[in-house]
Amino acid sequence: MERKRIAIVGIGLIGGSMALQLNANGIASNIIGVDASPAHLQKALALGLIDEAMDLDKAIANCDVIALAIPVDKMIEILPSILDKVNDKQVVFDMGSTKHLLIEAVRNHPKRKRFVASHPMWGTEYSGPEAAVKGAFENKAVVICNASDSDEDAVAMVRFIYKKIGMHQIEMDAYAHDLHAAYISHISHITSFALANTVLEKEKEDNAIFELASGGFESTVRLAKSNPNMWVPIFRQNRDNVLDVLNEHITQLKKFKACLEKENYDYLLELIENANKIRRIIK
Amino acid sequence: MERKRIAIVGIGLIGGSMALQLNANGIASNIIGVDASPAHLQKALALGLIDEAMDLDKAIANCDVIALAIPVDKMIEILPSILDKVNDKQVVFDMGSTKHLLIEAVRNHPKRKRFVASHPMWGTEYSGPEAAVKGAFENKAVVICNASDSDEDAVAMVRFIYKKIGMHQIEMDAYAHDLHAAYISHISHITSFALANTVLEKEKEDNAIFELASGGFESTVRLAKSNPNMWVPIFRQNRDNVLDVLNEHITQLKKFKACLEKENYDYLLELIENANKIRRIIK
């Protein structure tokens, strides 16, 4: 396939990592960065993530493909106006963590079919262009949602890009995606935020506690460093699913609490043995 | 210091990793493995973790130092009988995750002063001798508890070993240790176990969910693979502290729940910004 001019809107953790992969795989002839932050654009140029910085309208006018990697509330705000400006050859796709409301927002847009909704399942707790990671998406899953609502050539282009950067692809309805994302990604962030707040609450009384922080603690709490401006809109857009999972999680925690209160250590052993079944899933 | 004959009782994740460090640092002339499982001993010999396998009594009779790395319930069971058999030159120390009840169990033992209570703050979710990791303890913290209850030469020997394997040492009262361990280590395991059970509960309805498992999920849930026979005794011995922390954690989670229920996204942002302060602690 001929190399494409690709605009990346939002040149932070996800957009920057995508830029690195596109560069490494020879998919793009030019990578154009668009970002609300001039400092981010300067950094992205300095790091060699992008070839050129442009404002959004100029980037739309000059690119074959427009990839969106901005917080999901901003995504809903600007996707309709981007679609207003694309022609029947251009392709727009997003890389956000929620899908249903975004797809709803452009359901009746005359250019809906030029848009492909996707979610590459990778991230870290860091943000900004300096957080970009080379090879980040390799061997990870990407979900493509409601593909039948997009033009075939647009889906083919997005599939081509994700294939070239090494992701395995899953098609899924937007509702199913959002439910699964709540279980696989969103709840992990809430538990980490809450665990950090639990320990920080304690730290007020006792500073010595952190001299001891160990590997297990770092691993479970590292997501608590994640950017609130990215995560509040995700939780907001996926509120019902996140609430369901959070209620289930609190129920599960209360089982551990009840075991300890009642000194029922046989049941505690059972709960942990059941949790061990996660070995089937994560190696 | 002259090389010592060192017995390691429990040649699994912790004992095996200690054996690797002792070998690498030339502290031991001989490393003697003791384990209830003949298969573990065979494995430890095959992996070169230990020079020789012995039963406990023979090992006590033949070693200068006896290091205990067994589940904390077993520790309480056998420590008094080990102290019954040591002379005034031998040193016994433990590497368990709880301290108060173990120290209580030998408070009035005539050989109490030959025992040093310690907790090297490292572990993984794996167990058995094949889980041993070289260099595991380097640059991690070790807590030495109630050192004034031990003979000075015994404390000096244990400090010498931990120093040689690269750990920085913290002295702490056993009560304080157990409280801190609840916040820094034990609660992380409960949240991981409960998160695994939350997602496994969902999986009963929908097998597809795990195709999507991402790095963030793996990181928060990996401790859920931890050995129940190690962890139930820890939670049991540290019940009051773990219950306090667990109650606080459930309270923190309910704040997130209330934000979502009431759609109070300003307060949700505040909660996450507060959680971000964990950056001060973990880099």
PDB file of all heavy atoms in Angstrom, chain A residues 173-189:
ATOM      1  N   ASP A 173     -19.214  -5.284  19.260  1.00  0.00           N
ATOM      2  CA  ASP A 173     -20.226  -4.244  19.387  1.00  0.00           C
ATOM      3  C   ASP A 173     -19.789  -3.235  20.467  1.00  0.00           C
ATOM      4  O   ASP A 173     -19.150  -3.613  21.461  1.00  0.00           O
ATOM      5  CB  ASP A 173     -21.530  -4.927  19.782  1.00  0.00           C
ATOM      6  CG  ASP A 173     -22.580  -3.949  20.214  1.00  0.00           C
ATOM      7  OD1 ASP A 173     -23.223  -3.337  19.342  1.00  0.00           O
ATOM      8  OD2 ASP A 173     -22.730  -3.770  21.449  1.00  0.00           O
ATOM      9  N   ALA A 174     -20.116  -1.957  20.269  1.00  0.00           N
ATOM     10  CA  ALA A 174     -19.661  -0.907  21.193  1.00  0.00           C
ATOM     11  C   ALA A 174     -20.144  -1.143  22.634  1.00  0.00           C
ATOM     12  O   ALA A 174     -19.408  -0.891  23.585  1.00  0.00           O
ATOM     13  CB  ALA A 174     -20.137   0.463  20.707  1.00  0.00           C
ATOM     14  N   TYR A 175     -21.375  -1.619  22.791  1.00  0.00           N
ATOM     15  CA  TYR A 175     -21.868  -1.905  24.140  1.00  0.00           C
ATOM     16  C   TYR A 175     -21.002  -2.973  24.812  1.00  0.00           C
ATOM     17  O   TYR A 175     -20.612  -2.850  25.975  1.00  0.00           O
ATOM     18  CB  TYR A 175     -23.311  -2.444  24.090  1.00  0.00           C
ATOM     19  CG  TYR A 175     -24.363  -1.411  23.857  1.00  0.00           C
ATOM     20  CD1 TYR A 175     -24.966  -1.288  22.604  1.00  0.00           C
ATOM     21  CD2 TYR A 175     -24.784  -0.562  24.883  1.00  0.00           C
ATOM     22  CE1 TYR A 175     -25.957  -0.347  22.369  1.00  0.00           C
ATOM     23  CE2 TYR A 175     -25.780   0.384  24.659  1.00  0.00           C
ATOM     24  CZ  TYR A 175     -26.358   0.485  23.406  1.00  0.00           C
ATOM     25  OH  TYR A 175     -27.331   1.416  23.186  1.00  0.00           O
ATOM     26  N   ALA A 176     -20.732  -4.055  24.071  1.00  0.00           N
ATOM     27  CA  ALA A 176     -19.933  -5.147  24.631  1.00  0.00           C
ATOM     28  C   ALA A 176     -18.529  -4.646  24.963  1.00  0.00           C
ATOM     29  O   ALA A 176     -17.979  -4.973  26.016  1.00  0.00           O
ATOM     30  CB  ALA A 176     -19.859  -6.308  23.642  1.00  0.00           C
ATOM     31  N   HIS A 177     -17.972  -3.835  24.062  1.00  0.00           N
ATOM     32  CA  HIS A 177     -16.643  -3.277  24.343  1.00  0.00           C
ATOM     33  C   HIS A 177     -16.617  -2.521  25.669  1.00  0.00           C
ATOM     34  O   HIS A 177     -15.724  -2.697  26.497  1.00  0.00           O
ATOM     35  CB  HIS A 177     -16.181  -2.343  23.227  1.00  0.00           C
ATOM     36  CG  HIS A 177     -15.008  -1.514  23.664  1.00  0.00           C
ATOM     37  ND1 HIS A 177     -15.154  -0.318  24.351  1.00  0.00           N
ATOM     38  CD2 HIS A 177     -13.673  -1.752  23.592  1.00  0.00           C
ATOM     39  CE1 HIS A 177     -13.948   0.141  24.672  1.00  0.00           C
ATOM     40  NE2 HIS A 177     -13.040  -0.696  24.210  1.00  0.00           N
ATOM     41  N   ASP A 178     -17.603  -1.641  25.842  1.00  0.00           N
ATOM     42  CA  ASP A 178     -17.588  -0.778  27.029  1.00  0.00           C
ATOM     43  C   ASP A 178     -17.737  -1.602  28.313  1.00  0.00           C
ATOM     44  O   ASP A 178     -17.096  -1.302  29.332  1.00  0.00           O
ATOM     45  CB  ASP A 178     -18.691   0.284  26.942  1.00  0.00           C
ATOM     46  CG  ASP A 178     -18.338   1.381  25.936  1.00  0.00           C
ATOM     47  OD1 ASP A 178     -17.271   1.294  25.287  1.00  0.00           O
ATOM     48  OD2 ASP A 178     -19.137   2.327  25.788  1.00  0.00           O
ATOM     49  N   LEU A 179     -18.557  -2.646  28.248  1.00  0.00           N
ATOM     50  CA  LEU A 179     -18.699  -3.532  29.407  1.00  0.00           C
ATOM     51  C   LEU A 179     -17.370  -4.228  29.712  1.00  0.00           C
ATOM     52  O   LEU A 179     -16.902  -4.244  30.860  1.00  0.00           O
ATOM     53  CB  LEU A 179     -19.793  -4.573  29.123  1.00  0.00           C
ATOM     54  CG  LEU A 179     -19.940  -5.660  30.190  1.00  0.00           C
ATOM     55  CD1 LEU A 179     -20.368  -5.063  31.531  1.00  0.00           C
ATOM     56  CD2 LEU A 179     -20.937  -6.724  29.748  1.00  0.00           C
ATOM     57  N   HIS A 180     -16.751  -4.781  28.675  1.00  0.00           N
ATOM     58  CA  HIS A 180     -15.491  -5.489  28.882  1.00  0.00           C
ATOM     59  C   HIS A 180     -14.386  -4.552  29.351  1.00  0.00           C
ATOM     60  O   HIS A 180     -13.584  -4.916  30.216  1.00  0.00           O
ATOM     61  CB  HIS A 180     -15.074  -6.207  27.591  1.00  0.00           C
ATOM     62  CG  HIS A 180     -15.973  -7.344  27.251  1.00  0.00           C
ATOM     63  ND1 HIS A 180     -16.011  -7.928  26.028  1.00  0.00           N
ATOM     64  CD2 HIS A 180     -16.889  -8.009  28.006  1.00  0.00           C
ATOM     65  CE1 HIS A 180     -16.893  -8.898  26.037  1.00  0.00           C
ATOM     66  NE2 HIS A 180     -17.451  -8.959  27.214  1.00  0.00           N
ATOM     67  N   ALA A 181     -14.346  -3.361  28.786  1.00  0.00           N
ATOM     68  CA  ALA A 181     -13.318  -2.397  29.187  1.00  0.00           C
ATOM     69  C   ALA A 181     -13.477  -2.044  30.668  1.00  0.00           C
ATOM     70  O   ALA A 181     -12.488  -1.843  31.382  1.00  0.00           O
ATOM     71  CB  ALA A 181     -13.389  -1.148  28.316  1.00  0.00           C
ATOM     72  N   ALA A 182     -14.719  -1.992  31.146  1.00  0.00           N
ATOM     73  CA  ALA A 182     -14.958  -1.718  32.571  1.00  0.00           C
ATOM     74  C   ALA A 182     -14.296  -2.783  33.436  1.00  0.00           C
ATOM     75  O   ALA A 182     -13.677  -2.476  34.454  1.00  0.00           O
ATOM     76  CB  ALA A 182     -16.452  -1.646  32.863  1.00  0.00           C
ATOM     77  N   TYR A 183     -14.394  -4.047  33.020  1.00  0.00           N
ATOM     78  CA  TYR A 183     -13.823  -5.152  33.798  1.00  0.00           C
ATOM     79  C   TYR A 183     -12.313  -5.276  33.667  1.00  0.00           C
ATOM     80  O   TYR A 183     -11.621  -5.612  34.618  1.00  0.00           O
ATOM     81  CB  TYR A 183     -14.459  -6.489  33.383  1.00  0.00           C
ATOM     82  CG  TYR A 183     -15.744  -6.772  34.109  1.00  0.00           C
ATOM     83  CD1 TYR A 183     -16.951  -6.299  33.613  1.00  0.00           C
ATOM     84  CD2 TYR A 183     -15.740  -7.459  35.303  1.00  0.00           C
ATOM     85  CE1 TYR A 183     -18.139  -6.541  34.285  1.00  0.00           C
ATOM     86  CE2 TYR A 183     -16.908  -7.702  35.990  1.00  0.00           C
ATOM     87  CZ  TYR A 183     -18.112  -7.236  35.485  1.00  0.00           C
ATOM     88  OH  TYR A 183     -19.263  -7.456  36.159  1.00  0.00           O
ATOM     89  N   ILE A 184     -11.821  -5.023  32.465  1.00  0.00           N
ATOM     90  CA  ILE A 184     -10.424  -5.332  32.168  1.00  0.00           C
ATOM     91  C   ILE A 184      -9.508  -4.135  32.409  1.00  0.00           C
ATOM     92  O   ILE A 184      -8.327  -4.277  32.664  1.00  0.00           O
ATOM     93  CB  ILE A 184     -10.311  -5.808  30.700  1.00  0.00           C
ATOM     94  CG1 ILE A 184     -10.890  -7.206  30.575  1.00  0.00           C
ATOM     95  CG2 ILE A 184      -8.902  -5.784  30.190  1.00  0.00           C
ATOM     96  CD1 ILE A 184     -10.224  -8.238  31.447  1.00  0.00           C
ATOM     97  N   SER A 185     -10.067  -2.948  32.340  1.00  0.00           N
ATOM     98  CA  SER A 185      -9.203  -1.769  32.447  1.00  0.00           C
ATOM     99  C   SER A 185      -9.715  -0.751  33.472  1.00  0.00           C
ATOM    100  O   SER A 185      -8.984  -0.341  34.366  1.00  0.00           O
ATOM    101  CB  SER A 185      -9.082  -1.123  31.062  1.00  0.00           C
ATOM    102  OG  SER A 185      -8.559   0.178  31.152  1.00  0.00           O
ATOM    103  N   HIS A 186     -10.965  -0.364  33.377  1.00  0.00           N
ATOM    104  CA  HIS A 186     -11.430   0.770  34.169  1.00  0.00           C
ATOM    105  C   HIS A 186     -11.432   0.453  35.671  1.00  0.00           C
ATOM    106  O   HIS A 186     -11.020   1.274  36.481  1.00  0.00           O
ATOM    107  CB  HIS A 186     -12.805   1.239  33.672  1.00  0.00           C
ATOM    108  CG  HIS A 186     -12.808   1.571  32.192  1.00  0.00           C
ATOM    109  ND1 HIS A 186     -13.937   1.855  31.480  1.00  0.00           N
ATOM    110  CD2 HIS A 186     -11.778   1.655  31.305  1.00  0.00           C
ATOM    111  CE1 HIS A 186     -13.610   2.090  30.217  1.00  0.00           C
ATOM    112  NE2 HIS A 186     -12.310   1.971  30.086  1.00  0.00           N
ATOM    113  N   ILE A 187     -11.882  -0.756  36.058  1.00  0.00           N
ATOM    114  CA  ILE A 187     -11.928  -1.079  37.490  1.00  0.00           C
ATOM    115  C   ILE A 187     -10.525  -1.142  38.102  1.00  0.00           C
ATOM    116  O   ILE A 187     -10.325  -0.740  39.249  1.00  0.00           O
ATOM    117  CB  ILE A 187     -12.705  -2.400  37.753  1.00  0.00           C
ATOM    118  CG1 ILE A 187     -12.917  -2.622  39.252  1.00  0.00           C
ATOM    119  CG2 ILE A 187     -11.984  -3.605  37.159  1.00  0.00           C
ATOM    120  CD1 ILE A 187     -13.851  -1.667  39.917  1.00  0.00           C
ATOM    121  N   SER A 188      -9.536  -1.613  37.330  1.00  0.00           N
ATOM    122  CA  SER A 188      -8.166  -1.663  37.842  1.00  0.00           C
ATOM    123  C   SER A 188      -7.696  -0.273  38.242  1.00  0.00           C
ATOM    124  O   SER A 188      -6.950  -0.108  39.208  1.00  0.00           O
ATOM    125  CB  SER A 188      -7.193  -2.189  36.781  1.00  0.00           C
ATOM    126  OG  SER A 188      -7.445  -3.529  36.489  1.00  0.00           O
ATOM    127  N   HIS A 189      -8.098   0.713  37.469  1.00  0.00           N
ATOM    128  CA  HIS A 189      -7.705   2.084  37.790  1.00  0.00           C
ATOM    129  C   HIS A 189      -8.396   2.569  39.053  1.00  0.00           C
ATOM    130  O   HIS A 189      -7.776   3.190  39.912  1.00  0.00           O
ATOM    131  CB  HIS A 189      -7.969   3.006  36.594  1.00  0.00           C
ATOM    132  CG  HIS A 189      -6.967   2.799  35.491  1.00  0.00           C
ATOM    133  ND1 HIS A 189      -7.051   1.749  34.600  1.00  0.00           N
ATOM    134  CD2 HIS A 189      -5.827   3.457  35.172  1.00  0.00           C
ATOM    135  CE1 HIS A 189      -6.015   1.789  33.781  1.00  0.00           C
ATOM    136  NE2 HIS A 189      -5.254   2.822  34.096  1.00  0.00           N
TER     137      HIS A 189
END
